[in-house]
Amino acid sequence: YCRAEKAAFGEAFQYISYVECTEEPNRCVEAKVEGVPLWTFANGTRLQGAQGLEGLAREASCPYVPKD
């Protein structure tokens, strides 16, 4: 699911701050990550599992314009 969500962002994923739990397991343990992907928003909301771009945009209060 992580790979699929990263791919959905395309080049825009470079603007996403993320931690790769396989590379930094201690950070994930400290953050109490119980499953991936885990999306954490500025307001503290955490969503676990694949959300899709539309769901992530809605939670982040960003416009979502699907590619043709």
Side-chain angles (χ1 to χ4, degrees):
Y1 294 114
C2 295
R3 237 178 307 200
E5 293 220 319
K6 283 181 188 180
F9 276 90
E11 292 181 18
F13 193 76
Q14 66 182 315
Y15 302 107
I16 303 294
S17 174
Y18 77 101
V19 174
E20 197 66 61
C21 287
T22 57
E23 296 174 13
E24 299 182 68
N26 290 340
R27 284 186 66 185
C28 293
V29 169
E30 290 171 9
K32 297 182 170 79
V33 174
E34 295 177 2
V36 292
L38 176 67
W39 296 93
T40 305
F41 297 87
N43 67 2
T45 299
R46 291 166 50 128
L47 298 176
Q48 186 175 309
Q51 303 298 314
L53 293 181
E54 189 172 0
L56 293 170
R58 184 175 40 254
E59 189 62 41
S61 299
C62 293
Y64 173 69
V65 180
K67 285 181 155 183
D68 290 336

